[in-house]
């Protein structure tokens, strides 16, 4: 006990002890939720970007699947855990990314970790060239592979090229990046990255978790937006953000997907996603495809919020995407700002180290098509007030 308590004590001293805010979500009133049965708050940090997890059509599809298929899948994909819904969803995801095949996992984290670990172990001379800002799930996957790894400075294609140029052209190598970076909201230069990959004979692995369903004409993500879908070898995504439920996937050429299906431990040795979740994702996918105005509306809302915050003098990172990082740069003040906002009816979780580097602690805002202009204006007033207190401490 004392061993673990001393670790926790250190985390508390570093002001990065996490306190979860438990909320009673209201499916019919999202983004409103009830906080500790006391008062209503507006959620400003949900990754249910298009509010699909709270939409009647998704809920209905999940209820129908529950009635028709039961609660769980009943096994691993190999042993009774593959339903026609799983097969349909994999086909739809492959089509969304213009790939031959796709494969479902129980989360986006698992998809990244097990795919990269398995690829890295597939060949004794394999090398990863990884963006410095990649998500923990990719870092852990590459680490587990115990393969050669090089890190290029974030979004720096000159540095990437310098690393690639040192490698023999017949060496198996893979560039690993995200398309939209989750905490800063910036886009990867995918066009330049894929051109380098072709010049130096490298594969490209792109995490589209924060872009899929939102960017590109069909919601295919950052690669579709940049017109480079065919130059990405493996796309990784989630069902937990724009599609509103949970689960992860990869998509790519049939052979590479079959290889992961046949060898990746966290795909093989675990119970598959429940049919309810798969049915919800299928419905959300169709709905987003048929209603592109949802994406435009969400992006418009984010734009309005950025404009408001700028006018109010609140310091933001210049994010070109829907992710709005308000930089506070101090873990205690970040937590204090979040608590003050909560008291005013606005819930935005403080994001502290190790999720972001120290001194870049922040409030990360994400809007949905269901946030109204009145809510955005009200949040602006609240944070302007909070900033008067926080800003005073920041100057001290
Ligand atoms: N990749 C990135 C960039 C993420 O930000 C996240 C989670 O937020 C994941 C992967 C993991 O996805 P999931 O939540 O589906 O496990």
């Amino acid at each position: 006990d004392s061993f673990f308590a001393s670790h926790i004590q250190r985390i508390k001293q570093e002001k990065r002890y996490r306190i979860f805010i438990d909320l009673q979500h209201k499916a019919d009133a999202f983004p409103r939720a009830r906080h500790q049965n006391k008062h209503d708050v507006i959620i400003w940090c949900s990754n249910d970007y298009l509010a699909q997890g709270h939409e009647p059509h998704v809920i209905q599809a999940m209820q129908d699947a529950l009635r028709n298929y039961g609660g769980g899948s009943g096994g691993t994909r190999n042993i009774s855990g593959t339903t026609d819904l799983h097969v349909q969803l994999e086909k739809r995801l492959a089509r969304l990314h213009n790939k031959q095949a796709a494969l479902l996992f129980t989360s986006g984290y698992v998809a990244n970790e097990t795919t990269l670990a398995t690829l890295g172990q597939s060949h004794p001379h394999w090398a990863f060239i990884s963006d410095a800002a990649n998500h923990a799930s990719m870092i852990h996957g590459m680490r587990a592979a115990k393969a050669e790894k090089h890190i290029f400075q974030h979004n720096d294609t000159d540095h990437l090229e310098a690393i690639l140029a040192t490698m023999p052209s017949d060496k198996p190598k893979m560039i690993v990046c995200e398309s939209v970076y989750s905490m800063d909201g910036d886009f990867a230069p995918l066009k330049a990255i894929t051109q380098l990959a072709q010049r130096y004979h490298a594969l490209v692995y792109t995490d589209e978790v924060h872009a899929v369903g939102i960017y590109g004409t069909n919601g295919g993500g950052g690669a579709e937006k940049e017109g480079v879908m065919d130059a990405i070898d493996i796309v990784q995504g989630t069902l937990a953000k724009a599609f509103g439920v949970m689960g992860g996937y990869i998509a790519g050429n049939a052979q590479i997907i079959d290889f992961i299906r046949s060898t990746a431990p966290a795909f093989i040795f675990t119970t598959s996603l429940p049919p309810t979740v798969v049915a919800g994702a299928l419905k959300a996918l169709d709905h987003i495809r048929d209603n592109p105005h949802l994406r435009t509306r969400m992006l418009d809302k984010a734009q309005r919020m950025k404009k408001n915050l700028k006018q109010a003098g609140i310091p933001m990172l210049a994010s070109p995407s829907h992710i709005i990082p308000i930089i506070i740069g101090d873990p205690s003040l970040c937590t204090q700002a979040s608590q003050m906002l909560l008291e005013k009816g606005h819930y935005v979780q403080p994001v502290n180290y190790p999720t972001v580097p120290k001194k870049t602690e922040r409030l990360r805002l994400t809007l949905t098509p269901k946030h109204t202009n009145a809510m955005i204006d009200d949040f602006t007033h609240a944070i302007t007030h909070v900033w008067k207190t926080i800003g005073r401490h920041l100057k001290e």
Side-chain angles (χ1 to χ4, degrees):
D1 275 358
S2 61
F3 171 80
F4 293 114
S6 69
H7 276 266
I8 292 294
Q9 194 49 33
R10 203 178 64 231
I11 292 171
K12 284 186 176 167
Q13 274 162 2
E14 290 172 10
K15 312 281 184 219
R16 54 187 185 90
Y17 184 68
R18 290 163 182 226
I19 295 166
F20 298 156
I21 305 295
D22 63 300
L23 298 170
Q24 243 174 302
H25 285 206
K26 299 178 176 188
D28 57 356
F30 183 77
R32 289 182 198 283
R34 192 114 187 115
H35 177 44
Q36 291 176 345
N37 247 334
K38 281 194 297 225
H39 65 295
D40 278 4
V41 295
I42 312 281
I43 302 175
W44 293 99
C45 52
S46 171
N47 280 334
D48 187 357
Y49 292 140
L50 299 179
Q52 292 303 292
H54 296 83
E55 285 286 6
H57 53 264
V58 172
I59 295 168
Q60 187 63 54
M62 295 179 82
Q63 283 173 337
D64 291 348
L66 182 62
R67 205 170 31 252
N68 295 330
Y69 288 77
S73 74
T76 62
R77 285 295 294 274
N78 191 39
I79 307 178
S80 95
T82 297
T83 68
D84 56 336
L85 297 177
H86 292 80
V87 176
Q88 265 183 59
L89 182 56
E90 285 175 342
K91 285 195 177 136
R92 287 278 290 109
L93 289 167
R95 211 179 316 142
L96 177 67
H97 294 288
N98 208 19
K99 298 290 175 211
Q100 293 172 352
L103 196 64
L104 289 171
F105 298 82
T106 43
S107 75
Y109 188 103
V110 169
N112 271 334
E113 190 180 47
T114 200
T115 302
L116 291 170
T118 305
L119 287 172
Q121 287 163 5
S122 67
H123 191 285
H125 301 302
W126 187 280
F128 290 114
I129 309 106
S130 169
D131 187 287
N134 275 339
H135 188 255
S137 51
M138 288 187 270
I139 294 169
H140 287 136
M142 289 182 273
R143 209 174 273 163
K146 298 195 169 74
E148 185 181 322
K149 185 172 122 181
H150 303 263
I151 297 173
F152 64 98
Q153 282 151 28
H154 177 52
N155 276 350
D156 183 339
T157 47
D158 290 339
H159 191 206
L160 172 61
E161 179 161 22
I163 295 169
L164 287 167
T166 64
M167 296 179 168
S169 77
D170 61 349
K171 182 180 178 64
K173 48 185 147 344
M174 176 172 254
I175 302 169
V176 181
C177 64
E178 299 179 24
S179 64
V180 173
Y181 284 86
S182 58
M183 287 297 145
D184 287 1
D186 51 342
F187 289 98
L190 285 182
K191 215 170 242 166
I193 288 175
T194 51
Q195 280 164 358
L196 287 175
Q198 274 155 22
R199 192 172 315 146
Y200 292 95
H201 301 104
L203 296 167
V204 183
Y205 182 102
T206 305
D207 174 322
E208 291 268 25
V209 158
H210 294 278
V212 71
I214 298 170
Y215 298 101
T217 314
N218 300 298
E224 188 183 24
K225 175 175 164 290
E226 291 292 304
V228 295
M229 280 174 118
D230 293 345
I232 308 287
D233 298 283
I234 297 189
V235 177
Q236 179 272 354
T238 185
L239 307 176
K241 303 198 192 300
F243 303 135
V245 283
M246 72 173 294
Y249 64 91
I250 55 169
N253 273 354
Q255 293 303 331
I256 205 164
I257 298 299
D258 202 19
F259 171 73
I260 298 297
R261 187 186 75 89
S262 307
T263 58
F267 174 79
I268 298 174
F269 299 109
T270 193
T271 301
S272 63
L273 285 172
T276 45
V277 166
V278 179
L282 270 168
K283 182 52 92 177
L285 234 104
D286 286 344
H287 190 76
I288 291 171
R289 180 197 54 202
D290 299 340
N291 294 277
H293 69 275
L294 285 173
R295 290 182 251 150
T296 328
R297 195 173 148 84
M298 183 273 270
L299 293 170
D300 287 349
K301 298 285 170 193
Q303 212 44 45
R304 183 184 178 98
M305 179 62 100
K306 284 181 192 172
K307 197 165 151 227
N308 273 11
L309 294 174
K310 197 168 174 203
Q311 275 170 0
I314 308 293
M316 284 171 291
L317 279 189
S319 149
S321 72
H322 59 289
I323 294 166
I324 309 175
I326 299 177
I327 299 296
I328 295 190
D330 176 277
S332 302
L333 290 178
C334 198
T335 304
Q336 191 187 339
S338 167
Q339 274 165 357
M340 289 173 76
L341 284 166
L342 196 64
E343 282 156 23
K344 293 176 186 294
H346 299 284
Y347 167 52
V348 50
Q349 187 71 20
V351 185
N352 289 343
Y353 176 83
T355 307
V356 294
K358 286 180 180 164
K359 299 198 192 312
T360 73
E361 290 83 0
R362 65 196 65 189
L363 301 174
R364 174 185 180 271
L365 300 186
T366 47
L367 278 72
T368 72
K370 289 195 182 268
H371 284 86
T372 64
N373 289 346
M375 287 174 187
I376 295 171
D377 296 346
D378 192 39
F379 178 87
T380 312
H381 286 134
I383 194 155
T384 306
H385 193 259
V386 167
W387 207 260
K388 286 196 179 121
T389 309
I390 297 299
R392 222 180 12 247
H393 290 302
L394 279 174
K395 278 187 207 117
E396 280 164 7

